[in-house]
Amino acid sequence: MDEVMIAQVRRFNRVVTQQVGALTDRFLARDRPLGESRLLWEIGSGSDGRDVRSLRTALDLDSGYVSRLLRSLEASGLVTTERSPADRRVTLARLTEAGEAEKDVLDERSDELATQLLEALNEGQRDRLVAAMAEVERLLTAATVRIAPADPEDPAARHCLRAYAAELNERFETGFDPGRSIRADAADLRPPAGLLLLATLHEAPVGCGALKFHGTEPAELKRMWVDGSARGLGVGRRLLAELERRATAAGAPAVRLETNAALTEAIALYRSAGYVETDAFNDEPYAHHWFEKALPPG
Amino acid sequence: MDEVMIAQVRRFNRVVTQQVGALTDRFLARDRPLGESRLLWEIGSGSDGRDVRSLRTALDLDSGYVSRLLRSLEASGLVTTERSPADRRVTLARLTEAGEAEKDVLDERSDELATQLLEALNEGQRDRLVAAMAEVERLLTAATVRIAPADPEDPAARHCLRAYAAELNERFETGFDPGRSIRADAADLRPPAGLLLLATLHEAPVGCGALKFHGTEPAELKRMWVDGSARGLGVGRRLLAELERRATAAGAPAVRLETNAALTEAIALYRSAGYVETDAFNDEPYAHHWFEKALPPG
DNA sequence: TCCATTCTCTGACTCTAGTCAGGTTTTTCC
DNA sequence: GGAAAAACCTGACTAGAGTCAGAGAATGGA
């Protein structure tokens, strides 16, 4: 890695944590511990109440700690809690009117902070700053996406596979019925028969991709999907590259896939990654295009 | 201010402080309180020792607190302190060999963190991230520069005025002797005769600019200077705009200035800000060009 | 010389943040 | 139905971060 780049990243980290980080904290904490403000903010204005479990994972806090913070917010009249009717073990937290007002104040202060930052700049600088911030945010998010194998029965993986099917059903002119399509069960996507890669951002699943191995025959690419919120971050490309690496490692001479004409971005991705359209190598009813890419010998 | 911009800045703040801030802290604190690591880092590798006072202002910490942190670092053998020979009230802190080694470890971890961030991206994304980070850093720094009037005898102002003279002396072919130039004493740059604006980044002075008023005659622009470290941030332009605003407020119909041909960036700035070259209106020996700009009636 | 100021240190605190080990109530799975 | 797991809560702690008042030594200015 280039030293100049590393130095730039470090300088950025220092400047940003000092200027933005410190300010943000100072603005958020107003006569109240920072933890409480953050929790207040995170509970947000959902009318249904936010379950404590999701608060814990979102803020990465100890369950006892969150419980105590909630008690304290309740004591100040900013939050109410109740047990969920659906599962009476889980607690739902909800902002009171005073809590909403307090959150609005935090919002305002946050806006104020941002405005103050922008005000010192002229219009051209402002535009460039905002554009650069968007770029940094996007790429930092992209850099945070982790790709790792997962079991197809794992809840996060199942979420992705369901979302995949739902999206196909929405986008295909004919809809999509998994029963009519060539099957790829959990067992097919689990080593040694195949494998499934999961892309996660923080703890949330944002994409997947799978392989079915066929010994010394080409491996089949399956279940490529990226969540809408994570598109444009290069997740698909990274999944594809990692799948190819693993196919090579498993001894496959090539990767094959079939796809539907409605999936234009996917097709563009395959082409730009070096996949070449070939004759149909199976009778998948939903497919319009078949692609193949030779792998370097592993 | 545009709502979209504000929203982007806020999103940036959230994402970046979470990802960068949290990581940085985690990396810096290794079996040692974060405060100590930060202090260790800030003391740095100067062979002369760092005076405790400057550490306090740099980290914005209570004097008692810093003292305690230093004791603790001393106890771990990472730092030595001694009284300054010049002023035996001030303490100088210096890293021991073990302290240097520890700082190197922190450096390495910081590099590692940056590398890890970049590694998840492909080459194109990496280049774009680094470029955007540089832009954000630069503009964030620019936005942090504050411009305010100051007394010409104030230490920070004197620093700027000295630096101004030193730079002219260096850049003018003939050198610069303030005695031969038209005078602008402290009294001339203090209301109501005139005024001095100071640009500061955090607490450090990085630029200045002054006006001498002449009743209903054009005001004279004097002592425009920007520190090398702050060039390219639009500080000069902001100083100029603010001086014009204040000249208008003081009832001046125009602003005039003379300048030397060696100061090419300054001349470019004046032209692009709407200044027009005129005949010589004084006999300043160091001047090659005279400019004037009409002000809107205040 | 003497008085105000500067610089640092110490002691005595407070508060926030966070951890850990149970314990209770529900729910789920077999 | 019963055991295991999940979700949350409480109590008891620890450590870090920081504040404040005051003391002592050195310095600078009148």
Side-chain angles (χ1 to χ4, degrees), chain A residues 16 18-19 26 44 60 70 98 101 149 157 192 205 224 233 250 283:
Chain A
V16 165
Q18 259 190 25
Q19 292 180 29
R26 187 137 40 89
D60 191 30
L70 278 175
M224 273 288 284
L233 301 178
D283 54 357

Side-chain angles (χ1 to χ4, degrees), chain B residues 164 181-185 188-189 193-196 209-224 240 243-244 246-248 250 252-259 270 275 280-284 287 290-293 295:
Chain B
Y164 164 82
S181 174
I182 297 178
R183 304 187 54 163
D185 297 339
D188 297 324
L189 307 183
L195 72 84
L196 177 76
L211 287 175
K212 271 172 78 174
F213 297 126
H214 298 290
T216 56
E217 294 291 297
E220 268 184 282
L221 192 73
K222 290 283 183 191
R223 306 290 185 255
M224 274 289 285
L240 191 57
L243 287 168
E244 288 170 9
R246 287 173 186 265
T248 305
V255 176
R256 279 178 172 174
L257 62 96
E258 74 275 352
T259 189
Y270 298 135
Y275 284 74
F281 55 78
N282 65 18
D283 54 359
E284 166 64 45
W290 286 257
F291 287 93
E292 178 159 347
K293 177 182 182 177
L295 296 174

Side-chain angles (χ1 to χ4, degrees), chain B residues 81-104:
Chain B
T81 63
E82 58 183 317
R83 302 322 276 252
S84 156
D87 180 343
R88 301 180 43 70
R89 288 172 302 182
V90 322
T91 302
L92 297 180
R94 180 191 323 243
L95 296 186
T96 63
E97 244 176 79
E100 292 278 0
E102 189 59 27
K103 177 165 175 290
D104 288 346

